[in-house]
Amino acid sequence: MSPKGPAPSSVVREFIKDIVVDNRFCFSFPAETSALNKSVASFGVINPVWIVKSQDNRKTIVSGFRRYNAARKAGLETIPALTFKAGREYDLFIAHVAENTAVRKLNVGEISRVIFCANEHFGHGFEKISDRLFDALGLERSRKIYDMLLAVAGYGPAAKDIVSAGMSLKAAYRLARFEPDQRETLCKWIMDNRYGTSKSSLMIDMIDDIQAVKKKSVDEIIADAEAHVSPDMEKPQRSSRLFESVATMRNPILARMRRDFQTALESLNLPPSVEVIPPNNFEGRHIEFVIRARDRSSAISSFKALSKVAEAESENTESSKLSGLFGWI
Amino acid sequence: MSFPGFSKILIAEEAVSTPLTKKAKAAWPDIAPQIVRNLADHELQLDMEPDPVAAGKRTLALGPNRGKFIRKCPGTMGLVCCNYWVIDLVEGCPIDCSYCILQGYLTDRRIRLATNINDLVDEIDAELAGGTQPVRVGTGELSDSLILDPQLGLAETLIDIFRTRPRATLELKTKTANIDSLLNLEPADNIVIGWSVNTPAIISSDERGASNLHDRLAAARQIVKHGWKVAFHFDPLVLHDRWEEGYRRVVDDIFSVAPPEKVAWISLGAFRFHPSLKQVIRDRFPMSDILNSEFVLCPDNKMRYVKPERLKLFRTLKNAIVAKAPSTPLYLCMEGIEIWESVFGGSPRGDKNLCQVFG
Ligand code: SF4
C-alpha cells in the first residue's frame, strides 16, 4: 500500500539563503533549543527539513524550523531537505503535526497554535479540524476543548510563556477570563516571582476569584499584595510571602481563623516537641496533639511540659488559654 | 415551544410499545422519534456540541433500566446521614441550575426515562420486605420529580405504587408548579410533595427553567388545601446580597401557604460543589455570582462556605423557621455532626421530631 499524502522528492541539499519561512506551519514553542543548536553546530543537520516548491521555484520551509534556525545560526550554507509540490499544504501541515507528536509531547501553547493555524490560516472549522487533527494531537473530540484551545491561542506573549511551561489546558483556560492587558500583567508578575506550574495555576485561580468577589482589577490586587510585603526581602522568600498575601485576600476568614489559632497556640508556650494540628481548613471536630520524641527522656520532658499546662488550666478555668485553641469549633 | 423543549427523542427498540413510550410520543408529536437498537450507542456525551450539558437536556432517551432503580443515598463518611432512598426512574433534568451536580456527574448527558416501571415495583417490594423501620424514598435526586408530569403523569404511577406500601414515605421533590395531576388524586399519608426553595434573586440568576418562587408557593398552597403534606428544602442556601432578609422572607412566605402541621420536614443545605464544577459554572453561567464567596475544601472533597459563614446561614434559617414552626422536623443536608451540634445544640438522634423522619 502506498501512502495517500503528498509525495516528496528524494533528499536534496537546498541553499539556506533561498528558503523562506511559512509561518502557518510554525507552532514549536519555545522556537529554539540550545541542545539542538549545539548539535547542529557540531554535526550539521542530519534529519531533512520539508520544503514546498512552487511553480515559480519559491522554496518554503514547512517543517523543521528549529533545525533551520540552528543551521542559520551555525552559519551553514545548505541544509538537507525533502521537497514537495505546492497544492496540498493542509495535508502537509497535518503530517508535520503528526511527525512532531510522534517524537515529543506538545505543550498547551503549541497545541493551541496548531488549532489556531488550522482554523485561521487553512480556513477549517471544528468538524474538519477535530476529524483529522485531534487524533494526531491526542485530544478527545470535543467542541469545548476546541473552543478552549482557540481561546488560549489568542493570549499575549507572557501568558503564552506561562501556559507553555507545562500547564494543563484546563489551568491555561482559566486565564481566558481576564482582559488581555490584565492577563499579561498577571502573567508577567507570576513569571517575575518564579512560581512553579502548580503555584502559578493556584495564583491565577485565586486572583480570578478575588477579582470576582472584591471587584478589583489585577493591578489593584497585585498592588495590595505588594504593599503587604517588604520590597527588601530576598526573592524566594518574598515570592512566597506574596503568595500568602494573595491567599489571605482570597480567604480572609480562614486566614483570621488560622491567625487566632496560632495566637492561642503561642500563648500556651508548649515545647517544640509538641505539635498541635487543627483539621484541614478547620473542617472537622478534633485537634491533634502530636508528641515527637527521640528517646525515653525526651518523651518524659514533653509529658512534663504538658502536665504543667494541664495544671495551670485546671487552676485557672476562668481565663483558660487552652480553650482559645477550640474557638473555631 | 413548550417546556421541556426536546429536539430529539431516542427510543430503544424493545421499549417502543411500552405505555410510557406511547405517552412520550403523544406528548411531543412534532418530533419524529429515532428507534435505535442500543441507546448507549447514540450521542451519549454530545461532546461535539458547543454546550453538551444544554444539548443533553434537549434529548430524551427512552429505554429499559438495566441496573437497579433503588439505591440508598450513599451518605458520606463523617457526615450525618438522613437515611434517604433514591429511585432513579428519570435521570437528567430539563431544568438548568447553575449549581446542579449533574452537569459534571452523569456520563450520559441525555434525559433518560426508564420504561420498565413494572420492574421498579418488584424492586420496591424486595427492598421493603423483611424490615419494619420507616424509610423515606425520593425521585428528585437525579432529576426534578414533577418536571415531566404534565406530559407523562409519572407522579400518579408512583403515588399509586406507594399508597399501598405505608412503610415507605415517598417524597416528590420539585422546582415547578406542575401539580395539576396531583389535584385529581386522593391524598395519602405517606406521600409528601416537596419544594426546593430559594430567594427570588437566586432563582432568577441560577435556576433556569424552574418556576419562580411565587408559582412554587402558590402550587404548595393548592396542594395543602387539597390535603397533601408538603416539605421544603432550602438547598442550596447561597450567600448573596441581602440574603438574610431574602431567606427570612421565604420562610414567612412558606408558612403563609402551609401551616406547620402540614409541613412534613424542612431541610437546610448550604451550597457545596465538587471543585471541577467551578469552571462549568463559570462557563455556563457567566452572570451568576454564586461562586463569589469564601469556600474551603472539605474532607469529602467538596467545596463549602468557610465554617463561620455556614453557621451564620444555618442559624439564621433555623431561628426563622423555629420561630414559626417549633416542632416541624428540621435537618441539615451533608453536614458533619459538629455543625449539627453548633446549630441545634445536639445530634439528630436527640431530636424526637427528626427520629420519626430519619427512621
Ligand atoms: S432541578 Fe435539580 S436536577 Fe434539575 S437542574 Fe436543578 S439541581 Fe439539577
Side-chain angles (χ1 to χ4, degrees):
Chain A
M1 194 179 82
S2 55
K4 289 194 196 106
S9 67
S10 50
V11 178
V12 291
R13 291 206 79 85
E14 296 286 356
F15 281 101
I16 288 178
K17 64 175 174 41
D18 294 344
I19 296 173
V20 291
V21 170
D22 185 344
N23 274 323
R24 295 178 304 169
F25 289 80
C26 292
F27 56 77
S28 297
F29 190 90
E32 298 208 352
T33 77
S34 56
L36 183 67
N37 287 349
K38 262 190 210 155
S39 152
V40 168
S42 315
F43 306 109
V45 173
I46 296 163
N47 275 335
V49 299
W50 296 2
I51 302 280
V52 168
K53 224 182 233 178
S54 62
Q55 280 182 345
D56 59 1
N57 215 21
R58 196 177 144 89
K59 294 167 187 168
T60 309
I61 182 167
V62 296
S63 174
F65 297 97
R66 287 176 175 180
R67 277 163 282 161
Y68 165 77
N69 284 336
R72 273 176 27 148
K73 266 210 169 134
L76 305 184
E77 276 190 10
T78 62
I79 193 166
L82 287 170
T83 56
F84 297 82
K85 271 193 214 136
R88 296 192 53 186
E89 275 77 357
Y90 188 57
D91 289 329
L92 271 176
F93 177 68
I94 290 171
H96 166 50
V97 171
E99 287 265 315
N100 269 274
T101 54
V103 292
R104 69 188 180 95
K105 195 170 177 318
L106 303 192
N107 62 50
V108 168
E110 292 174 316
I111 296 175
S112 69
R113 168 84 189 158
V114 169
I115 299 300
F116 172 81
C117 288
N119 175 256
E120 185 75 14
H121 299 321
F122 292 102
H124 297 307
F126 167 63
E127 292 284 339
K128 239 184 165 173
I129 291 175
S130 64
D131 195 30
R132 292 195 63 191
L133 265 172
F134 271 39
D135 230 13
L137 291 165
L139 298 174
E140 256 173 67
R141 271 194 88 187
S142 142
R143 174 108 211 182
K144 174 86 211 155
I145 291 177
Y146 172 77
D147 291 342
M148 284 161 88
L149 285 164
L150 280 186
V152 172
Y155 291 177
K160 277 205 179 116
D161 273 342
I162 282 193
V163 304
S164 299
M167 214 173 243
S168 71
L169 175 58
K170 258 192 194 161
Y173 182 59
R174 288 201 197 111
L175 281 166
R177 286 175 42 81
F178 294 86
E179 293 296 323
D181 59 326
Q182 297 281 286
R183 182 164 53 227
E184 283 296 286
T185 304
L186 170 59
C187 291
K188 276 184 201 141
W189 188 67
I190 288 176
M191 280 198 305
D192 194 36
N193 282 294
R194 294 183 214 139
Y195 297 123
T197 310
S198 71
K199 263 197 160 173
S200 300
S201 301
L202 261 175
M203 179 62 89
I204 290 165
D205 218 21
M206 290 193 298
I207 293 198
D208 183 20
D209 286 344
I210 298 168
Q211 257 198 148
V213 178
K214 304 224 159 113
K215 314 280 179 246
K216 283 186 171 179
S217 69
V218 169
D219 296 296
E220 287 169 319
I221 297 165
I222 291 175
D224 275 0
E226 294 276 354
H228 282 94
V229 182
S230 155
D232 306 328
M233 217 177 255
E234 290 292 316
K235 193 85 194 175
Q237 203 193 348
R238 186 161 197 276
S239 297
S240 97
R241 291 291 290 276
L242 285 169
F243 193 90
E244 275 168 35
S245 170
V246 173
T248 302
M249 265 188 258
R250 172 62 190 102
N251 276 357
I253 300 173
L254 186 65
R256 197 192 60 222
M257 290 168 86
R258 288 198 176 121
R259 248 190 343 260
D260 291 351
F261 187 83
Q262 199 51 38
T263 310
L265 184 59
E266 278 160 17
S267 76
L268 282 173
N269 262 328
L270 293 175
S273 57
V274 177
E275 198 184 349
V276 185
I277 311 167
N280 200 18
N281 294 331
F282 297 96
E283 289 294 333
R285 297 182 78 188
H286 307 288
I287 291 174
E288 282 175 32
F289 285 77
V290 179
I291 296 175
R292 295 216 163 73
R294 256 173 292 112
D295 49 31
R296 184 176 168 277
S297 73
S298 68
I300 290 173
S301 72
S302 297
F303 291 147
K304 277 187 183 157
L306 282 175
S307 347
K308 259 194 203 156
V309 174
E311 253 168 52
E313 279 288 317
S314 52
E315 279 165 17
N316 198 358
T317 46
E318 294 288 284
S319 56
S320 159
K321 287 178 178 170
L322 199 54
S323 46
L325 285 185
F326 297 91
W328 54 274
I329 293 186
Chain B
M1 187 165 66
S2 69
F3 190 79
F6 294 122
S7 57
K8 185 174 276 183
I9 297 180
L10 298 169
I11 303 173
E13 263 173 11
E14 57 202 302
V16 169
S17 52
T18 64
L20 211 50
T21 305
K22 285 180 187 156
K23 275 191 193 169
K25 278 160 73 177
W28 290 279
D30 298 341
I31 306 172
Q34 203 180 324
I35 316 290
V36 300
R37 174 161 295 176
N38 186 359
L39 281 177
D41 294 342
H42 293 264
E43 296 166 71
L44 215 60
Q45 280 283 309
L46 300 146
D47 277 344
M48 302 296 274
E49 300 283 339
D51 181 349
V53 177
K57 289 175 186 290
R58 292 193 296 270
T59 307
L60 179 64
L62 294 113
N65 174 7
R66 296 265 171 252
K68 280 187 71 116
F69 275 107
I70 305 179
R71 57 195 166 89
K72 191 168 177 310
C73 186
T76 306
M77 264 254 291
L79 303 182
V80 174
C81 170
C82 60
N83 216 359
Y84 205 81
W85 292 11
V86 178
I87 296 182
D88 299 329
L89 193 57
V90 182
E91 294 182 28
C93 181
I95 299 174
D96 200 5
C97 303
S98 66
Y99 50 79
C100 182
I101 59 160
L102 301 183
Q103 296 173 99
Y105 176 72
L106 296 176
T107 47
D108 184 345
R109 298 189 185 281
R110 304 165 304 182
I111 298 186
R112 280 164 299 144
L113 186 58
T115 47
N116 50 333
I117 290 195
N118 288 343
D119 295 342
L120 166 66
V121 180
D122 296 342
E123 215 183 295
I124 290 169
D125 285 333
E127 291 287 348
L128 291 176
T132 52
Q133 282 282 89
V135 292
R136 284 193 307 155
V137 185
T139 57
E141 188 73 11
L142 297 180
S143 191
D144 181 286
S145 300
L146 297 180
I147 184 75
L148 297 175
D149 210 53
Q151 293 84 1
L152 304 176
L154 289 172
E156 182 173 355
T157 311
L158 284 165
I159 288 171
D160 282 345
I161 295 172
F162 280 92
R163 197 185 281 285
T164 53
R165 291 164 175 84
R167 189 187 149 205
T169 298
L170 170 71
E171 181 184 27
L172 298 171
K173 199 176 352 173
T174 188
K175 284 181 182 136
T176 73
N178 295 342
I179 51 154
D180 288 354
S181 73
L182 303 174
L183 298 178
N184 297 321
L185 302 175
E186 192 59 32
D189 259 1
N190 67 330
I191 312 292
V192 173
I193 315 301
W195 273 272
S196 294
V197 286
N198 225 310
T199 62
I202 293 298
I203 290 175
S204 78
S205 61
D206 291 86
E207 297 183 352
R208 281 183 205 149
S211 296
N212 63 36
L213 181 66
H214 176 270
D215 290 353
R216 288 182 216 181
L217 294 183
R221 183 197 296 275
Q222 276 185 282
I223 279 291
V224 167
K225 248 196 200 154
H226 193 70
W228 296 99
K229 276 196 258 174
V230 290
F232 295 95
H233 301 276
F234 286 86
D235 197 353
L237 286 167
V238 177
L239 291 170
H240 58 289
D241 248 11
R242 301 181 20 185
W243 63 266
E244 284 162 294
E245 186 189 327
Y247 283 122
R248 279 201 198 103
R249 194 165 290 163
V250 179
V251 172
D252 289 347
D253 290 348
I254 283 177
F255 290 106
S256 75
V257 303
E261 64 277 11
K262 282 296 198 180
V263 181
W265 54 74
I266 296 178
S267 74
L268 307 176
F271 175 41
R272 56 210 174 269
F273 58 97
H274 187 272
S276 63
L277 196 64
K278 187 170 168 182
Q279 193 61 45
V280 177
I281 298 176
R282 292 240 151 111
D283 286 349
R284 300 198 63 244
F285 294 83
M287 303 310 284
S288 168
D289 283 336
I290 198 166
L291 293 168
N292 296 349
S293 292
E294 185 171 342
F295 296 99
V296 292
L297 189 65
C298 293
D300 62 348
N301 204 26
K302 293 226 169 70
M303 304 296 291
R304 285 182 174 75
Y305 294 124
V306 65
K307 197 175 265 183
E309 297 284 85
R310 237 149 76 224
L311 287 174
K312 220 193 298 170
L313 264 171
F314 290 141
R315 286 181 183 138
T316 304
L317 268 289
K318 180 210 127 190
N319 292 341
I321 292 164
V322 168
K324 294 268 176 188
S327 49
T328 297
L330 176 63
Y331 64 90
L332 303 179
C333 256
M334 302 281 284
E335 290 293 345
I337 192 74
E338 79 278 8
I339 298 279
W340 278 77
E341 284 169 349
S342 298
V343 176
F344 295 117
S347 79
R349 279 184 211 290
D351 182 333
K352 65 176 188 325
N353 293 330
L354 271 186
C355 283
Q356 287 164 4
V357 174
F358 283 9

